Amino acid sequence: MLISHFMTPPRSAQRNVNIVASTGDRDIMRRRTSRCSLHITDLPDEALVTVAYFLPKPSAALFAVALAAPSSSWPKHYEAQRQPPAISRAIVSSSSWDSLDFEDIEKKVAKKLDDDDLFAVLACIDAKNTLKKLKTSGCVNTMGRGLSPLSGSVVLEQLDLISTGQHEDVSNNSHQPFDGECFISILTSIVEAEDNSLKQLELPISMRIEGSNYLDSNPILDTFLERYNRLLEGRRLKCSKCDGLCLNANQRENQWVVSERGNERWGYQMFTCNKCTRNFCNDCRDIFGERHIDHCDNCRKHYCTDCVFINACECCPWFVCEGCAPNAGSCEECGLFTCCRETCNSCSETRCKQCVEYHWCEGDGCSKVNCGDCFQGKNQDVDLCNHCWKKLCSNCRFLDCVKDWKGACTGCLDSIDGMVGLDEENEKLRREIIELKDKLHIHW
């Protein structure tokens, strides 16, 4: 679905392409397999715009991109300053694009997006002149090049490049590669733009890990952080509570963004809330006497207590925000407030890990857990096979055996013997249903 001046289809496809003229400047090439078939571009522009209106913003932008050209061709056309087709522009103009968060789409979709897709979305919505907040949650396959349409932006206020989802453990994507030189050149063009609006930057976790290592050295990245720190210091930003300068309020923190190599918080922006982007000094306290801004050890972001409450776990040294620890609360046995508590799938008791040991199913995507009492007793759902030493729940053990009945562990087969009988009965019923459908079809 491409306009003729935006992209030329390959010769092999031209035999199946009809160029249909329509109202305005919408000349769309439509592939048809027969005269009776319909294509999405046969729908009126108003219908497509209405459909896009009910989609999450990232999905609407991807829809507009798909109606124009493949993502891989957008850099070339963007450089040539070619405009997308009218329908894409109509979809984009029907919404405001001051904020874009890929957390709004399914994880499995965000995970498939690469730099070409991110580039196409940002170019399509004219992000350089419209976008104020961008969060690339879930975009684990982007390496930084896709941010190019933001180069030189003076409207961008927040850029969150932590690719894990909101309130997820960032260690899962700690090794996400980034094209450092290209990535830093884009950020530098934003920081050096006159009258830029950048307030808060969340660097990728992989870069933070690199910076926290004494032995690693990246002059390009270090130079950028110096520039960014000078930018923020030059603004003499004040605390939203006490109206004092954030840096002067606490001498222990003498930088907006920690840039000292080897510091475990290298790359952290210390005084800015990730949610509201307001600034707070470390001297201000909330009604409970706690710092008004602190960072979560799980998602590695700073929040003010007006937006997200951060709790100190009494069982581990972590400070965890309420979003990262939805199960945080008091242990039913010892009464301590902790983020290290679990609810057993067998007995349904919620206790901390100091009071009882927990055993998790090792199956892919399975979250079943048993407390030590149930695991050692007869009420367990998660069990350890004494032959293959796999710790699985009954369902995951059955699925593991189904992959290879002949090569399956004898201990696992013995434990699922009853389930095998049910599976054979289900297969017999399935065949009977197929036979019945065939007979009914013949009768009709």
Side-chain angles (χ1 to χ4, degrees):
M1 299 171 287
L2 315 170
I3 56 173
S4 57
H5 68 276
F6 200 76
M7 181 181 175
T8 303
R11 293 183 179 180
S12 60
Q14 288 181 355
R15 293 190 301 271
N16 299 321
V17 175
N18 295 323
I19 300 178
V20 182
S22 59
T23 59
D25 60 349
R26 183 186 178 191
D27 295 327
I28 300 178
M29 294 181 289
R30 297 169 172 154
R31 290 183 171 84
R32 298 180 182 275
T33 56
S34 69
R35 292 183 179 180
C36 297
S37 65
L38 292 175
H39 194 275
I40 190 171
T41 53
D42 290 312
L43 295 173
D45 286 1
E46 294 78 8
L48 296 175
V49 172
T50 302
V51 169
Y53 179 79
F54 289 97
L55 295 174
K57 280 191 175 181
S59 297
L62 288 168
F63 185 44
V65 167
L67 289 170
S71 298
S72 58
S73 67
W74 277 79
K76 178 179 65 176
H77 298 300
Y78 183 76
E79 184 177 350
Q81 297 183 346
R82 293 182 180 176
Q83 290 292 320
I87 180 58
S88 298
R89 297 199 304 272
I91 290 173
V92 170
S93 62
S94 66
S95 302
S96 62
W97 296 96
D98 57 333
S99 177
L100 185 64
D101 187 352
F102 284 87
E103 178 80 11
D104 295 337
I105 60 176
E106 293 186 16
K107 293 180 183 178
K108 62 182 180 181
V109 177
K111 187 177 181 179
K112 294 179 181 179
L113 301 179
D114 58 18
D115 281 291
D116 287 336
D117 298 315
L118 181 58
F119 186 106
V121 166
L122 296 179
C124 188
I125 66 173
D126 190 21
K128 180 179 180 179
N129 299 309
T130 60
L131 195 61
K132 295 182 179 180
K133 294 184 179 183
L134 173 63
K135 296 187 177 184
T136 58
S137 305
C139 300
V140 296
N141 288 316
T142 57
M143 298 177 61
R145 177 175 53 83
L147 298 171
S148 296
L150 288 173
S151 296
S153 172
V154 295
V155 299
L156 186 68
E157 297 178 359
Q158 183 182 29
L159 183 58
D160 185 343
L161 300 173
I162 297 180
S163 58
T164 48
Q166 187 77 355
H167 301 303
E168 290 184 2
D169 185 358
V170 298
S171 60
N172 295 330
N173 292 107
S174 60
H175 302 293
Q176 180 189 6
F178 258 79
D179 185 349
E181 188 171 347
C182 176
F183 172 67
I184 295 303
S185 66
I186 296 169
L187 295 184
T188 301
S189 70
I190 298 173
V191 170
E192 292 185 341
E194 188 176 355
D195 296 328
N196 75 81
S197 306
L198 189 61
K199 297 178 180 179
Q200 206 246 354
L201 173 65
E202 298 283 6
L203 289 174
I205 296 301
S206 57
M207 284 191 171
R208 296 189 188 184
I209 293 175
E210 175 190 334
S212 63
N213 191 330
Y214 280 111
L215 301 178
D216 290 333
S217 178
N218 188 331
I220 298 177
L221 187 54
D222 292 339
T223 301
F224 166 74
L225 282 187
E226 289 179 9
R227 288 173 176 167
Y228 185 47
N229 269 319
R230 287 199 302 268
L231 171 70
L232 297 177
E233 291 169 9
R235 291 174 179 170
R236 296 181 63 80
L237 299 170
K238 295 183 178 181
C239 173
S240 297
K241 286 293 179 182
C242 68
D243 204 35
L245 295 177
C246 290
L247 286 184
N248 291 342
N250 189 340
Q251 295 302 322
R252 292 178 303 159
E253 307 288 357
N254 58 6
Q255 289 182 310
W256 277 89
V257 182
V258 179
S259 62
E260 178 187 0
R261 285 282 170 172
N263 192 316
E264 64 178 5
R265 294 194 179 184
W266 186 95
Y268 285 59
Q269 187 161 331
M270 303 299 294
F271 307 109
T272 310
C273 175
N274 178 270
K275 201 170 182 78
C276 66
T277 67
R278 291 183 299 165
N279 302 308
F280 300 89
C281 69
N282 283 334
D283 277 355
C284 284
R285 296 291 188 267
D286 60 18
I287 58 175
F288 302 103
E290 301 292 336
R291 289 170 54 179
H292 206 80
I293 188 168
D294 212 334
H295 103 289
C296 173
D297 286 303
N298 189 63
C299 62
R300 312 288 175 89
K301 297 179 181 180
H302 280 73
Y303 299 104
C304 68
T305 53
D306 291 338
C307 295
V308 180
F309 190 73
I310 296 181
N311 302 294
C313 179
E314 296 186 65
C315 294
C316 72
W318 273 30
F319 285 81
V320 184
C321 70
E322 58 187 346
C324 286
N327 294 325
S330 298
C331 171
E332 293 179 358
E333 186 166 322
C334 67
L336 292 178
F337 178 87
T338 175
C339 66
C340 305
R341 69 175 192 165
E342 296 288 343
T343 301
C344 175
N345 287 105
S346 294
C347 66
S348 300
E349 290 189 12
T350 303
R351 292 178 285 178
C352 72
K353 298 174 185 177
Q354 285 189 348
C355 292
V356 64
E357 183 181 5
Y358 281 96
H359 300 269
W360 283 265
C361 174
E362 298 171 352
D364 292 339
C366 185
S367 59
K368 288 184 178 179
V369 59
N370 276 172
C371 66
D373 297 338
C374 293
F375 185 77
Q376 298 296 336
K378 297 182 179 180
N379 194 32
Q380 82 274 21
D381 187 32
V382 179
D383 194 14
L384 178 67
C385 177
N386 293 324
H387 290 76
C388 64
W389 302 105
K390 290 181 179 179
K391 193 183 293 184
L392 298 168
C393 68
S394 55
N395 187 53
C396 289
R397 196 175 301 280
F398 176 76
L399 294 175
D400 189 59
C401 291
V402 168
K403 295 177 183 176
D404 182 15
W405 284 115
K406 293 182 179 180
C409 166
T410 55
C412 291
L413 289 174
D414 289 340
S415 65
I416 64 168
D417 186 51
M419 296 183 69
V420 173
L422 290 174
D423 185 61
E424 292 175 350
E425 185 177 348
N426 287 337
E427 178 61 24
K428 181 180 178 180
L429 291 172
R430 189 184 69 82
R431 289 196 299 267
E432 290 178 357
I433 290 173
I434 293 175
E435 292 175 0
L436 181 60
K437 285 183 176 180
D438 290 341
K439 290 180 180 178
L440 291 173
H441 181 69
I442 293 172
H443 177 73
W444 289 339

